[in-house]
């Protein structure tokens, strides 16, 4: 157990993808957490900050809601959409038949 504590990394050492994973895994006080991440990311990753701002305003429950968040384009939706929604909703998100490849 002690080794787990000594292997912790500073927030500033995390990649953008690791920061995204951390942010969506927390269920308590989501809006406050999303706003905090947005502020910390804003200078270096403004597009990701915009996503967290949008999530703080309206917690998405499906891909359509996720797509309406400022900063979430087709590429980010395809790359991160299901991961975000799986963690937020606690379950697997099925794609609309028109979106299946």
């Amino acid at each position: 157990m002690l080794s787990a504590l000594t292997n912790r990394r500073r927030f500033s050492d995390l990649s953008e993808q690791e920061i995204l994973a951390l942010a969506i895994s927390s269920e308590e006080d989501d809006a406050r957490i999303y706003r905090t991440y947005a502020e910390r990311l804003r200078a270096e990753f403004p597009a990701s900050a915009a996503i967290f701002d949008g999530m703080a305003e309206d917690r998405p429950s499906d891909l359509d809601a996720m797509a309406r968040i400022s900063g979430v384009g087709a590429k980010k939706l395809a790359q991160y959409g299901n991961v975000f929604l799986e963690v937020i909703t606690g379950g697997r998100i099925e794609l609309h038949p028109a979106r299946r490849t």
Side-chain angles (χ1 to χ4, degrees):
M1 181 163 166
L2 185 57
S3 64
L5 295 176
T6 59
N7 289 332
R8 295 183 80 185
R9 295 167 49 200
R10 293 180 306 173
F11 182 86
S12 60
D13 293 336
L14 299 176
S15 70
E16 182 178 10
Q17 191 167 10
E18 289 169 319
I19 293 168
L20 289 171
L22 283 173
I24 62 176
S25 67
S26 179
E27 293 184 25
E28 290 185 46
D29 205 6
D30 288 339
R32 183 185 59 79
I33 291 168
Y34 294 148
R35 284 187 185 98
T36 299
Y37 279 118
E39 289 306 314
R40 290 183 180 186
L41 289 171
R42 199 165 316 283
E44 290 185 66
F45 306 104
S48 292
I51 293 169
F52 286 116
D53 285 334
M55 290 175 67
E57 293 301 315
D58 181 32
R59 185 175 160 171
S61 60
D62 57 41
L63 289 172
D64 289 328
M66 187 77 171
R68 287 190 297 271
I69 293 175
S70 175
V72 178
K75 184 177 178 181
K76 284 194 179 183
L77 186 65
Q79 190 171 9
Y80 300 114
N82 280 325
V83 175
F84 269 88
L85 293 173
E86 234 178 274
V87 174
I88 291 169
T89 64
R92 181 91 178 120
I93 303 300
E94 291 297 321
L95 292 176
H96 184 278
R99 290 196 175 151
R100 293 184 184 140
T101 57

